[in-house]
Amino acid sequence: MSDLYEKAKPLAGKVMSFARDNILVNMRFLDVALSALAVEPEKESGCFACNGTKIYYDPVFLLKRYKEEPAFVLRMYLHILFHMIFYHSFRFDKLDGESWSLAADIAVEAAILELEMPGMSLFRDEEAKRKLRVLREDIGALTAEKVYKYLKNFEVSDRERGELSRLFFMDSHRLWKPTQDLVITQQQWKKLSERVRADLKSFSAKKSKSESMEKSLLEAVKDKYSYKELLRKFMVMNEDMRINDEEFDYIYYTYGLSTYGNMPLVEPLEYKDNKKVREFVIAIDTSASCRGILVQAFLRKTYGMLCGEDNFFRKMNVHIIQCDHEVQKDTKITSRDDLEYFLSHEKLTGFGSTDFRPVFAYVNELLQEGEFENLKGLLYFTDGYGVYPKAMPPYDVMFVFIDNGDMGPEVPPWAVKVLLDDEEI
């Protein structure tokens, strides 16, 4: 077997070089990303695999598949490259690996088949295209993220998963694991994806365009935020009445009690500075395009993140403002009970057009009236399509949008933009 491996290496290397050159000729917008991946033969692996730096291939396996289907190596090379520029390997450890692998393969093959480049057709492609047409009717643009949600949210049988794997599986994902010694980092691959996306726009108009590829690249270059982490921006330092364990010595305290009766040698420091939510504003866009169940779900999610003992002060001052083109209602929340009552009993009002300016003007009035001692920020849940104020307010602002598969509306440079998909909410 060793002799066969050594004999296969030179020819397999030439086939890989030919595949690489073919991709460069037909898809010039991939040149930078393509040059970022080295190739290396691997003995008796029986597969192709990539760790984000190198493509590992079994020369014997490669030549066998090349003989059976000449387009296989070219297709495999492109398949792996798309996994990297779509950022698939870097999300593998954060999700259900089996479902994510299948979703990633489907997304990559959808993008390749839509491009319709010469010399890349496999025997299974017609059957795969029929399956993709059915999936598009249910999902829309076939990004890995959308396919993954489909696989997780709907009862997809083992038989159906097996059929999908047969039609779209290409490479092993065994190297899709977090590692500290990557030559090309996660952030560098993101920059490569941004370059590919920019170059794709200027690619020849005569060439086929791939909606799946464009949407997958969009997902890759999006900034991924943790909503919970961003909420910490709205936490302020405040003195909370509780024993400060970090500055209190219990040894002297208990020694005094045991030796002198009810006379501790040191009193506990009751005051401790904690970062907690005390004063902020939640603005709800109640225009016709942003209403109903999602608003309630967003409020419950935000409440769930903030209502732990470590987040809320005994006293709080939160205003929930409903607004479309004008402020419809302001509900002041001073306790958990207030918030629970609002979520259970209050009905949204408005449903006109969207204008963000009235909320900011109203909050400015509250500030002038002394309603807030230390307003940290304003959280605005909206679809984003409205009129923004020009002036930067004296507090942090976060616009939270529903992720519709695009980059979302542009926001002023002084605001933070967060995209949450409906599953997150």
Side-chain angles (χ1 to χ4, degrees):
M1 191 68 177
S2 179
D3 291 341
L4 184 59
Y5 171 78
E6 293 300 329
K7 289 179 180 178
K9 267 204 308 184
L11 182 56
K14 290 181 180 179
V15 173
M16 286 292 285
S17 295
F18 173 76
R20 181 179 183 278
D21 293 344
N22 201 323
I23 294 173
L24 282 173
V25 169
N26 286 285
M27 303 182 190
R28 295 186 302 277
F29 59 92
L30 295 175
D31 58 350
V32 176
L34 196 60
S35 64
L37 283 179
V39 296
E40 185 171 312
E42 186 179 39
K43 191 175 182 179
E44 298 180 6
S45 67
C47 66
F48 285 68
C50 181
N51 65 355
T53 300
K54 291 181 179 179
I55 298 176
Y56 294 93
Y57 65 95
D58 181 341
V60 177
F61 172 75
L62 181 151
L63 293 179
K64 179 176 180 295
R65 294 294 285 116
Y66 181 74
K67 183 179 179 180
E68 295 170 351
E69 202 165 8
F72 174 80
V73 178
L74 176 60
R75 180 69 158 267
M76 176 67 75
Y77 210 133
L78 191 62
H79 182 101
I80 290 174
L81 183 63
F82 277 16
H83 274 318
M84 295 299 109
I85 64 174
F86 292 166
Y87 228 51
H88 290 162
S89 65
F90 295 105
R91 298 171 187 168
F92 180 76
D93 63 308
K94 301 176 179 66
L95 302 166
D96 171 30
E98 183 179 345
S99 294
W100 179 250
S101 285
L102 179 55
D105 282 335
I106 292 172
V108 163
E109 288 297 291
I112 292 174
L113 290 171
E114 287 175 18
L115 285 170
E116 297 182 344
M117 289 300 169
M120 296 187 191
S121 297
L122 300 179
F123 299 145
R124 71 187 189 189
D125 282 357
E126 288 305 314
E127 188 178 357
K129 287 179 181 177
R130 288 194 293 272
K131 179 63 71 174
L132 290 175
R133 281 195 291 269
V134 173
L135 287 174
R136 280 193 192 90
E137 291 178 0
D138 294 330
I139 303 173
L142 296 176
T143 64
E145 290 74 13
K146 286 192 172 183
V147 178
Y148 178 79
K149 290 178 189 175
Y150 172 80
L151 294 174
K152 297 296 289 182
N153 293 338
F154 295 90
E155 294 184 3
V156 180
S157 66
D158 291 341
R159 179 179 178 181
E160 176 68 9
R161 285 175 178 261
E163 184 70 6
L164 291 170
S165 181
R166 180 182 70 82
L167 290 173
F168 302 107
F169 171 80
M170 292 291 286
D171 62 320
S172 169
H173 301 164
R174 60 186 171 84
L175 301 179
W176 286 11
K177 298 175 182 178
T179 180
Q180 300 299 319
D181 56 357
L182 274 180
V183 177
I184 306 177
T185 65
Q186 181 174 351
Q187 197 59 32
Q188 287 172 317
W189 267 115
K190 184 175 181 181
K191 290 180 179 178
L192 288 172
S193 298
E194 290 170 344
R195 168 69 185 274
V196 170
R197 183 167 177 256
D199 290 346
L200 181 62
K201 291 181 179 179
S202 60
F203 192 49
S204 174
K206 296 180 181 179
K207 301 290 184 180
S208 299
K209 292 294 188 294
S210 170
E211 181 189 8
S212 295
M213 182 170 187
E214 292 172 355
K215 293 292 186 180
S216 292
L217 282 170
L218 188 61
E219 287 290 344
V221 302
K222 274 183 186 176
D223 289 324
K224 304 295 180 181
Y225 294 107
S226 165
Y227 182 49
K228 189 173 184 178
E229 290 298 317
L230 285 170
L231 277 180
R232 292 181 180 177
K233 289 172 63 69
F234 291 81
M235 293 183 181
V236 295
M237 293 298 294
N238 200 76
E239 204 171 55
D240 191 25
M241 293 285 290
R242 64 169 61 187
I243 292 176
N244 188 346
D245 295 321
E246 297 171 3
E247 299 181 20
F248 176 58
D249 193 330
Y250 278 97
I251 295 176
Y252 285 105
Y253 183 82
T254 55
Y255 177 76
L257 290 178
S258 62
T259 304
Y260 302 107
N262 192 25
M263 185 183 294
L265 293 181
V266 61
E267 288 290 339
L269 298 175
E270 289 189 301
Y271 297 96
K272 180 180 181 181
D273 281 343
N274 284 308
K275 269 193 172 183
K276 295 183 177 179
V277 178
R278 186 183 183 189
E279 294 187 334
F280 68 104
V281 173
I282 299 178
I284 301 297
D285 176 4
T286 58
S287 66
S289 57
C290 187
R291 59 188 295 183
I293 297 175
L294 280 178
V295 172
Q296 292 286 347
F298 167 75
L299 288 172
R300 289 194 176 277
K301 180 180 179 70
T302 303
Y303 168 59
M305 289 180 176
L306 298 176
C307 72
E309 181 182 352
D310 291 336
N311 286 330
F312 273 113
F313 286 102
R314 288 179 176 83
K315 293 183 179 180
M316 53 188 290
N317 181 18
V318 177
H319 285 252
I320 300 179
I321 301 172
Q322 301 179 48
C323 181
D324 45 21
H325 62 280
E326 61 182 3
V327 172
Q328 297 289 345
K329 192 171 185 180
D330 176 15
T331 305
K332 184 174 180 176
I333 305 295
T334 60
S335 67
R336 297 183 190 181
D337 291 340
D338 289 346
L339 195 49
E340 284 286 6
Y341 183 86
F342 178 87
L343 292 172
S344 302
H345 298 86
E346 289 286 348
K347 293 184 178 181
L348 300 179
T349 59
F351 311 119
S353 58
T354 303
D355 189 339
F356 304 124
R357 294 172 297 180
V359 165
F360 288 89
Y362 178 72
V363 172
N364 289 340
E365 290 177 7
L366 294 178
L367 285 168
Q368 292 172 6
E369 294 168 1
E371 174 62 22
F372 298 107
E373 293 180 17
N374 186 13
L375 176 62
K376 180 60 178 172
L378 186 152
L379 200 66
Y380 212 129
F381 182 69
T382 174
D383 66 351
Y385 297 98
V387 184
Y388 293 89
K390 294 181 179 179
M392 176 180 175
Y395 45 82
D396 292 335
V397 177
M398 186 191 305
F399 284 97
V400 182
F401 308 134
I402 298 299
D403 189 347
N404 293 316
D406 54 21
M407 296 296 283
E410 289 296 322
V411 301
W414 41 260
V416 175
K417 176 172 70 174
V418 182
L419 297 173
L420 293 181
D421 62 39
D422 50 8
E423 189 172 82
E424 286 181 276
I425 296 178

